[in-house]
Amino acid sequence: MNDKSFEQAVVAERSMLVRFARLHLQEDAAEDAAQEALLAALQNPAGYSGKSALRTWLVGILKHKIVDVLRKEKKYVQAGPAEIGDPGDFDVLFDDTGHWAEAPADWGNPAETLQQAQFFDIMDFCLNKLTPVMARVFSMRELFEFEIAEICKELKITAGNCSVLLYRARMQLRLCLDQNWFEGRKA
């Protein structure tokens, strides 16, 4: 990829980066983090080896920018019942013994799925359906790889509250991805 096409491809991902950053930051901070990620990518095109999708590489850069902002601003949240959801929401998915009532869909090869640009659009859609607190906790743990203790400290929540939020976020994402990505791909 030549310099001009690399630059165009990077700039074309701007709106996706801003949407991703908005899941974790206020509007202005999200715009700034996305701009910083784009600038970092454009200043170091040799950093992109081509081993992953360009979008994946850019999100990796953005993740570091978001973590820096979160640590700097120390955004605190209180997760009340509205943010956590109803505990019975997922009871119908399990039988009396705690096993899946219906086995989850076969999601195929995760590495291949992550190479498909459309998957990130659906994942973004599903993340946006989570409550803001759930999305932040899930992202901090699964995307930014914070330890549970660090999430609890940063967001001033208990470990139990964090675990509940993670469980419910994962379940909601699983259902959303089953319905909007994997189920649709079978048709």
Side-chain angles (χ1 to χ4, degrees), residues 22-24 77 82-83 127-138 155:
R22 282 185 189 143
L23 290 172
H24 315 288
V77 298
E83 290 84 11
L127 278 170
N128 280 307
K129 289 181 75 173
L130 298 176
T131 66
V133 173
M134 245 188 250
R136 180 165 290 154
V137 169
F138 176 82
L155 301 180

Side-chain angles (χ1 to χ4, degrees), residues 3-14:
D3 289 345
K4 185 74 172 163
S5 62
F6 176 79
E7 182 178 322
Q8 289 172 339
V10 167
V11 171
E13 296 293 348
R14 182 187 177 286

